Each structure stands twice: as C-alpha cells, then as structure tokens.
Amino acid sequence: QSALTQPASVSGSPGQSITISCTGTSSDVGGYNYVSWYQQHPGKAPKLMIYDVSNRPSGVSNRFSGSKSGNTASLTISGLQAEDEADYYCSSYTSSSTNVFGTGTKVTVL
Amino acid sequence: EVQLVQSGAEVKKPGESLKISCKGSGYSFTSYWIGWVRQMPGKGLEWMGIIYPGDSDTRYSPSFQGQVTISADKSISTAYLQWSSLKASDTAMYYCARFMELVGTGYYFDYWGQGTLVTVSS
C-alpha cells in the first residue's frame, strides 16, 4: 500500500489559519472515517492530535480541527502559534486491516 | 497513567539479530493492540504492524511482512520487535505505540513510547 499524499511544507504567520491535506484512495481515506493526525516536534515521539477524522483527544487545543471529503482529509490549525511548528502526519485505516501514514508535512510559522 | 517504555539504543553489524522491547504500564496490557512504527533518518513515519497481546493476533503492513517479527509476553506486559538478520537499511528510530481498535471508532495510536534508535553499520 502506498503512503498517503501530503504537501511537503505549509507555512503561515502567527494568528493565521493553515490547512494540510492528506489524499488517499477509496481503499483507505475515502472508504473509512478512520483518519488520524499526529504532530511530531524534532527529536520527539509523535503525538495524537485528531482521530476518527475530526475528534480531538483530551488536552489537545481546539485550534486543531479535522475534516474529510471523498478521498482527501484535512487538518486545519487556526490561530497559528510558534509552538505549532512541527511535522504533521495523517494516517488512515485501510481495506487490508492495517493502517498507512501520510508522507508528512513540515509546518513553518513565519 | 499510561506509559510505554522502550529499550535503549542499539548498535549492530549487518547480519546480526536483534530484539527490542516496549513495556506497557498503567492500563490493561492484554486489552489493547500495540504496534510499531519506523522512522528512518530524516524521513517520515511508517506503520509496521500491530499485535494483540491477549491472544497474540498479529497484523503486518505488506512492506514489513516477512522482514520483522512482532511478539508479546503478556506475563510481563512487554511487546517486542525482532530481526533475524539486520541490514544497513534497518537503521532507524523505532517507536512502539498503543493502538486503539474499536468497532465504530478507533484505528489510531494514542500513546507512544520514547523510541529506540537502531544503528546497523559494519
């Protein structure tokens, strides 16, 4: 199975909103409402930010939101802050009963 | 508090075997899947596979099937990732993580270990 496609980089100024896309197929993103998003700061373990397309775990800021349309899922970060600068990865359940990660997106706060 | 504590960094030669570990605490180890994720230097995350310690049911990503072995010892709440013959291309950070799989909701990693760096070099 191929990695889900994400833009390599996205940037924004403090206070702005940015959106990261995650494109798959009908065998993964499009076929299930089981997309999750992870934040990874340099040298750190990933952290779950969104699960089941749009649900936030306890403790995650409501500035992070998720959505899905067809074979593409999206993560939106509103009110961008310096601490949001990190790598972000999407992941989806697949028809093979496994999961697959996206290619990753580096978010830069200008 | 849910915690996953991984074994320390390893330096190995090509052809050697290796088994790294991940000890879970703060939750019922046998009631949740636990999985492994590879991150090669400067690269993205790769989903390797998961195991259900309750009955040792295991699923592998096609990319890793036959390349590694995932196992668990529920008596000591520990999961393992094993190689029989390492290659230089196995050099990476390996993370274990608890995997949520529930009918109607789930299929994501919610708690992560700190990572184990494996270096394979002659």
Side-chain angles (χ1 to χ4, degrees):
Chain A
Q1 63 211 35
S2 299
L4 308 175
T5 301
Q6 299 180 230
S9 62
V10 173
S11 61
S13 299
Q16 285 188 327
S17 292
I18 62 169
T19 295
I20 303 168
S21 61
C22 169
T23 301
T25 69
S26 58
S27 296
D28 39 64
V29 175
Y32 309 93
N33 288 322
Y34 297 135
V35 175
S36 51
W37 290 88
Y38 303 85
Q39 176 192 65
Q40 186 180 34
H41 286 109
K44 300 294 187 182
K47 175 186 176 183
L48 177 68
M49 304 302 284
I50 295 286
Y51 67 94
D52 293 354
V53 175
S54 60
N55 293 319
R56 276 188 312 275
S58 174
V60 172
S61 171
N62 60 8
R63 297 186 298 104
F64 292 84
S65 61
S67 63
K68 192 189 87 166
S69 177
N71 294 340
T72 298
S74 298
L75 174 71
T76 297
I77 309 174
S78 58
L80 199 61
Q81 298 180 1
E83 67 207 49
D84 300 332
E85 187 161 293
D87 293 326
Y88 291 83
Y89 296 89
C90 62
S91 181
S92 175
Y93 182 70
T94 78
S95 57
S96 302
S97 299
T98 60
N99 276 43
V100 62
F101 281 106
T103 50
T105 298
K106 182 177 181 59
V107 168
T108 301
V109 180
L110 302 171
Chain B
E1 178 194 8
V2 174
Q3 282 195 313
L4 296 170
V5 178
Q6 299 185 227
S7 51
E10 301 274 2
V11 179
K12 292 289 193 179
K13 291 181 168 30
E16 292 185 332
S17 63
L18 176 64
K19 192 174 190 178
I20 62 175
S21 66
C22 170
K23 183 173 177 60
S25 63
Y27 71 101
S28 175
F29 187 74
T30 54
S31 300
Y32 294 83
W33 293 80
I34 192 161
W36 291 92
V37 174
R38 183 174 79 175
Q39 188 167 38
M40 299 176 75
K43 302 299 184 182
L45 305 177
E46 298 175 271
W47 200 96
M48 300 178 72
I50 54 174
I51 187 166
Y52 190 76
D55 61 7
S56 294
D57 187 15
T58 310
R59 299 179 198 161
Y60 293 93
S61 164
S63 301
F64 291 94
Q65 179 80 49
Q67 307 304 307
V68 296
T69 300
I70 295 172
S71 61
D73 184 339
K74 59 186 179 183
S75 69
I76 54 172
S77 301
T78 300
Y80 301 98
L81 179 64
Q82 183 175 4
W83 295 261
S84 59
S85 181
L86 286 160
K87 303 184 284 289
S89 58
D90 292 318
T91 294
M93 180 71 81
Y94 293 88
Y95 294 101
C96 69
R98 192 177 77 167
F99 187 73
M100 292 296 290
E101 178 173 306
L102 298 168
V103 175
T105 180
Y107 308 105
Y108 55 89
F109 289 118
D110 60 350
Y111 289 92
W112 293 69
Q114 82 277 19
T116 295
L117 181 62
V118 174
T119 303
V120 184
S121 174
S122 55

